[in-house]
Amino acid sequence: MNEMSTLGKLLPPMMRYVKLGAKVLPKTLPESIAKFLPQEVELSLPLINALSSYFKILEEGMNGKKKIIVHPFNFPPEILHTLDTAPVFIELISTLASIAPGTFFPDKAEKYLDYSYEDGLPGSLCAGQLGGTGAMLMGDFPRPDAILSGAAGFCDVNSKIMEYAANKLKIPTFHMDMSSYNDERGLAYYKQSFKHVISLLEEFTGNKLDPDRLKETVEISNKMTELADEIFELQAAVPSPILVDYNLMNLMMRFSLGGCPETIPFYKAVLKSAKRKVKKGEGALKEEKVRCLWLYTGIYFDPMFFMWIKKIGMSVVSDLLSYFPVKPIDTTSFDTMIDGLAQEALDFPMVKQMKGAVDAPGGWIDDSVHLAKKFKVDCCIYFGNPACKRASGSFRLLSDEIKNEVGIPVLQLESDAWDGRVAPIGETKEKIEEFLETVI
Amino acid sequence: METFNDDIKDLRRYIDVKTNAGQNVRVKKCSNNTQKIAAFLNKKTNTIVFKEDTWVELGNPKTFSMAPVLVTESLDVVNDGAITLIGPDIQETQGSIPFAQILLLSSTDLKDENYRKLNTFQYELELNGYMIKAVPSSMTIWSRVSKDSVKAGFSFEILGNAIIQSYRSKFNIQSAEVIFITSSEEDVKELKDLNDKVKKIVNAMSKMMEEMSYDCSSCEYVDVCDDVRELGQLREKLMKNKTAEGGEK
């Protein structure tokens, strides 16, 4: 380790306290108490429990009991959990460093980003992976045993950084390929690649993908899908019964703990809380002043940003990364499960929308217009990301379609979800306020 | 667009076979009287139907569903206002059932380019006690009907009426017809080829509209275009427009 930065200092106590919290706190609260609490508090217990289970898996990886596999967010962790590995999606590393409170961890993800830049990776790549790579190269995050690269076709930057990190760390890398075709041939090609990577993982870990265990995992995953889908529909209620925090929590659950039983109490708690509010005609916010759809990612480098969003009365019904239009997987046979997981990976957020043409059926434009109409939002915000050139380059098409089809305004910002230096949070807030005051 | 004329004939034959086999096939006529559906029209609030308040779920992804839209310029091919139901009506069944919702539209004024919008518009239907869960791009239909709306008389006749009237108010169409199938998964799956054809045409048209070049040799939809005359014509038209604009040929 060269120099300990954010995660080196943050992870050990964080893991300790989360585990302690899960041990001493109840897993859920009785309805008679929960109904009087703010939603953040109500959800915190099942969230702590789920996080604790994830940290336990990570700890086993750090202790050499499981192999740590770093993967892109679009690879379903169900496979990696069934193979008894410790999966880490690379953006999680950047996000954990980004959300660390600046008072105690002033480096946040920036030192990792700078390390990657100094190592030769250009700043025009995505901070979501650069931060994670920097942390791994600095030795500030547990060294993975292997890297899985599988975002080519919708996020080539992601794949390239993964390959680079694996080369630098001198660890094996497994590549998954994707066709630009959106038809059966594209799906067949992807499934073939998916199966090939699974066989490589089996060989690497020495663990065979056990059909019975896979079935257990996929059944839990299906339950997650069912509950998350019920929650998703409730976002149509006005006012919205779910806080913006859920969007980030949802994607963390999906990308890290897909197929793990600890996720179920979390989704059940969200659903219970949201249903209660809908039945009473209440919103999750004291007063919903504006309903908004975030067209791409959120802002993760400032943990107080979500607090501010709630303070100004903005309900964020969804963002692209927390939109999972996935279907339950057929568990009839081993093959149907593998095919279902491959299809799920193709339907994961950003993959579905950014693979191929953004204005193709089910692409970024289609899905955004659908969500804006379905949830009757007042406006949309695009936070931008310097690395996502295809998103920035095609944004005007999206923006025009939303204005023409839905008739609502769209705010385009230039910021970075993980790097606060691209646009300081104060500037982002000012622009949002100005937009709401003048256009809404 | 005449692409679907033969498919519509096949659909008529399919209905005849089901009728002759003694299946429950009923035909209703769309009423111009909006009073019948007035109680279910919902313009302001989003409809949410909780799982426990659901009378029937149509086309859950665990089963099979489809929602193709077939368009023709031949006005005599579509039975204007007909609502055909093969299988049980909403009040007659409960739980989760497979579902097909097939919309036949005829118009001499529609542009081929509108075909994708004609397919996705059905997902914007807003009725009290009826919640659509499917994503438009899935081209399937997954929805819930609430217990309360069934008590209030919701039926496929009401749903068909609402769909036909919403299309009439949005597009310039001369006639519209709806066919619902709820009888069995096998009955819905029999029409899978038709649904796949619609999907391919929508995708091919969309790709053509967004193309910067028109190189058929590298296109994934070349087989669809070979089969569908209108796609070739649309391609020629788009290429002409591009040449006129001074773009790439």
Side-chain angles (χ1 to χ4, degrees):
Chain A
M1 188 180 293
N2 293 337
E3 182 186 358
M4 198 183 276
S5 184
T6 308
L7 292 175
K9 296 174 197 161
L10 171 74
L11 267 183
M14 188 183 186
M15 290 168 83
R16 207 165 48 241
Y17 288 127
V18 167
K19 271 168 61 187
L20 181 68
K23 204 173 168 184
V24 299
L25 294 168
K27 288 188 172 46
T28 50
L29 289 170
E31 180 67 10
S32 53
I33 297 173
K35 66 183 179 187
F36 294 111
L37 296 172
Q39 196 170 60
E40 295 98 326
V41 182
E42 196 180 347
L43 303 189
S44 60
L45 294 176
L47 179 71
I48 288 172
N49 195 46
L51 279 179
S52 164
S53 72
Y54 180 71
F55 284 150
K56 196 177 158 211
I57 293 168
L58 186 60
E59 205 168 36
E60 285 177 334
M62 290 154 82
N63 294 338
K65 290 179 186 162
K66 289 179 190 279
K67 290 202 186 301
I68 297 178
I69 311 283
V70 166
H71 63 98
F73 64 88
N74 65 306
F75 190 81
E78 285 88 340
I79 295 284
L80 298 167
H81 286 300
T82 310
L83 281 171
D84 214 18
T85 67
V88 181
F89 72 97
I90 191 161
E91 295 81 6
L92 173 70
I93 310 175
S94 309
T95 307
L96 282 175
S98 295
I99 60 172
T103 317
F104 305 106
F105 307 97
D107 292 341
K108 294 172 75 72
E110 291 164 11
K111 197 163 238 177
Y112 303 138
L113 292 169
D114 291 344
Y115 190 91
S116 291
Y117 304 148
E118 284 160 21
D119 209 48
L121 290 168
S124 56
L125 301 183
C126 180
Q129 296 92 43
L130 285 177
T133 299
M136 289 191 293
L137 296 181
M138 279 178 68
D140 223 18
F141 190 82
R143 179 186 164 87
D145 295 288
I147 286 185
L148 198 158
S149 167
F154 73 95
C155 182
D156 296 336
V157 159
N158 185 315
S159 290
K160 212 62 205 162
I161 298 174
M162 293 296 231
E163 187 186 325
Y164 179 87
N167 277 338
K168 287 288 283 190
L169 291 165
K170 293 186 173 51
I171 55 173
T173 172
F174 309 120
H175 291 275
M176 231 166 46
D177 200 12
M178 194 180 283
S179 162
S180 62
Y181 285 1
N182 264 328
D183 62 359
E184 290 83 5
R185 284 171 295 176
L187 178 61
Y189 182 79
Y190 186 71
K191 281 179 180 172
Q192 198 182 2
S193 183
F194 193 76
K195 284 171 187 170
H196 177 63
V197 161
I198 291 173
S199 67
L200 293 176
L201 283 167
E202 284 181 322
E203 197 181 318
F204 177 71
T205 56
N207 299 333
K208 195 91 184 131
L209 200 61
D210 176 53
D212 293 333
R213 207 168 157 204
L214 182 65
K215 191 174 180 186
E216 276 173 36
T217 309
V218 172
E219 277 169 356
I220 292 167
S221 183
N222 281 346
K223 185 74 190 161
M224 273 175 79
T225 299
E226 196 184 308
L227 290 164
D229 191 67
E230 291 290 316
I231 295 164
F232 175 73
E233 293 296 342
L234 297 185
Q235 284 287 28
V238 181
S240 164
I242 303 157
L243 292 172
V244 59
D245 314 60
Y246 168 73
N247 295 336
L248 184 60
M249 294 173 190
N250 182 32
L251 69 90
M252 298 284 256
M253 293 282 162
R254 279 275 175 186
F255 296 153
S256 297
L257 283 165
C260 295
E262 293 80 5
T263 55
I264 303 300
F266 167 76
Y267 284 105
K268 279 186 176 170
V270 179
L271 183 59
K272 203 162 139 191
S273 171
K275 260 190 186 176
R276 189 194 311 125
K277 290 186 190 303
V278 172
K279 282 179 181 169
K280 282 189 190 168
E282 288 175 0
L285 295 172
K286 272 185 188 159
E287 187 189 356
E288 180 180 87
K289 291 183 182 161
V290 61
R291 293 170 68 79
C292 188
L293 170 70
W294 289 358
L295 296 168
Y296 214 59
T297 64
I299 293 280
Y300 312 124
F301 64 79
D302 183 346
M304 301 310 284
F305 182 63
F306 281 9
M307 296 283 284
W308 180 80
I309 286 293
K310 289 183 270 189
K311 199 177 147 198
I312 63 168
M314 179 183 282
S315 288
V316 183
V317 294
S318 187
D319 60 46
L320 181 74
L321 269 186
S322 59
Y323 174 48
F324 289 82
V326 296
K327 292 178 201 148
I329 293 166
D330 179 359
T331 56
T332 315
S333 70
F334 184 75
D335 285 341
T336 62
M337 288 189 282
I338 298 296
D339 285 354
L341 285 164
Q343 180 65 61
E344 182 177 282
L346 285 179
D347 287 337
F348 258 28
M350 214 176 269
V351 188
K352 179 178 183 285
Q353 293 84 7
M354 306 312 284
K355 180 174 74 69
V358 293
D359 49 2
W364 193 27
I365 295 178
D366 242 20
D367 276 4
S368 301
V369 167
H370 166 64
L371 292 174
K373 281 183 178 173
K374 183 180 175 80
F375 295 138
K376 289 193 167 65
V377 297
D378 304 306
C379 61
C380 297
I381 298 179
Y382 170 69
F383 287 107
N385 184 332
C388 293
K389 304 200 176 37
R390 60 187 271 100
S392 300
S394 52
F395 175 75
R396 181 63 192 269
L397 290 172
L398 170 65
S399 167
D400 284 353
E401 194 68 8
I402 290 173
K403 283 176 204 161
N404 295 335
E405 276 288 308
V406 196
I408 55 168
V410 180
L411 173 66
Q412 180 182 17
L413 296 170
E414 282 175 24
S415 56
D416 188 302
W418 294 272
D419 191 349
R421 296 167 298 186
V422 174
I425 199 68
E427 191 184 305
T428 299
K429 286 179 183 174
E430 260 176 39
K431 284 182 179 166
I432 292 174
E433 276 176 333
E434 198 182 317
F435 172 70
L436 296 178
E437 277 168 22
T438 54
V439 186
I440 302 297
Chain B
M1 199 176 196
E2 305 296 333
T3 305
F4 295 115
N5 284 5
D6 285 342
D7 298 298
I8 295 172
K9 279 181 198 159
D10 287 346
L11 261 177
R12 303 278 176 229
R13 273 193 288 274
Y14 170 89
I15 295 169
D16 285 345
V17 169
K18 299 296 166 197
T19 310
N20 294 336
Q23 284 210 32
N24 192 0
V25 179
R26 285 165 276 185
V27 183
K28 304 271 181 179
K29 194 77 185 160
C30 176
S31 162
N32 285 329
N33 182 358
T34 50
Q35 232 175 352
K36 218 168 185 180
I37 60 167
F40 297 98
L41 287 177
N42 175 4
K43 293 275 178 199
K44 287 179 184 168
T45 55
N46 290 322
T47 291
I48 292 173
V49 181
F50 296 140
K51 204 174 179 180
E52 60 270 26
D53 297 336
T54 301
W55 174 266
V56 67
E57 196 162 90
L58 306 168
N60 183 299
K62 285 178 188 167
T63 167
F64 196 76
S65 85
M66 61 171 73
V69 177
L70 312 184
V71 183
T72 175
E73 284 176 6
S74 310
L75 303 181
D76 56 335
V77 175
V78 175
N79 298 332
D80 189 31
I83 301 162
T84 304
L85 171 63
I86 303 172
D89 205 336
I90 287 166
Q91 304 94 331
E92 300 160 354
T93 187
Q94 238 183 321
S96 178
I97 57 169
F99 186 47
Q101 174 175 298
I102 304 162
L103 188 56
L104 313 183
L105 303 172
S106 75
S107 170
T108 48
D109 300 322
L110 285 172
K111 290 178 182 170
D112 291 339
E113 297 90 305
N114 289 334
Y115 187 52
R116 184 165 149 197
K117 277 196 177 138
L118 286 168
N119 265 279
T120 55
F121 181 65
Q122 57 188 320
Y123 299 90
E124 292 178 28
L125 186 71
E126 291 180 351
L127 293 172
N128 283 323
Y130 183 70
M131 177 172 84
I132 298 177
K133 288 169 68 72
V135 181
S137 58
S138 69
M139 294 181 69
T140 60
I141 190 86
W142 176 19
S143 55
R144 277 181 183 170
V145 182
S146 75
K147 289 174 185 167
D148 285 347
S149 65
V150 174
K151 270 187 207 159
F154 193 79
S155 65
F156 282 116
E157 188 187 350
I158 302 276
L159 180 59
N161 258 287
I163 292 171
I164 290 173
Q165 287 184 21
S166 67
Y167 269 83
R168 279 184 179 149
S169 64
K170 173 89 176 180
F171 301 100
N172 194 6
I173 50 172
Q174 272 95 23
S175 46
E177 177 182 353
V178 191
I179 300 163
F180 297 116
I181 304 166
T182 59
S183 45
S184 69
E185 190 167 324
E186 290 71 36
D187 285 350
V188 178
K189 274 185 175 167
E190 267 184 63
L191 300 172
K192 187 178 177 298
D193 287 347
L194 170 67
N195 196 48
D196 289 347
K197 180 180 173 182
V198 172
K199 261 188 197 175
K200 276 187 179 174
I201 291 176
V202 170
N203 287 339
M205 271 188 177
S206 304
K207 185 162 188 275
M208 220 179 264
M209 302 299 295
E210 71 217 9
E211 282 291 314
M212 299 301 285
S213 69
Y214 298 97
D215 177 17
C216 295
S217 63
S218 64
C219 180
E220 68 209 270
Y221 298 108
V222 67
D223 54 337
V224 194
C225 292
D226 286 345
D227 291 343
V228 181
R229 185 171 49 88
E230 282 87 350
L231 287 174
Q233 289 168 347
L234 177 62
R235 177 177 175 273
E236 292 298 320
K237 191 175 93 182
L238 291 168
M239 280 176 70
K240 264 186 202 162
N241 291 348
K242 190 149 273 185
T243 312
E245 287 165 12
E248 183 190 355
K249 192 169 179 180

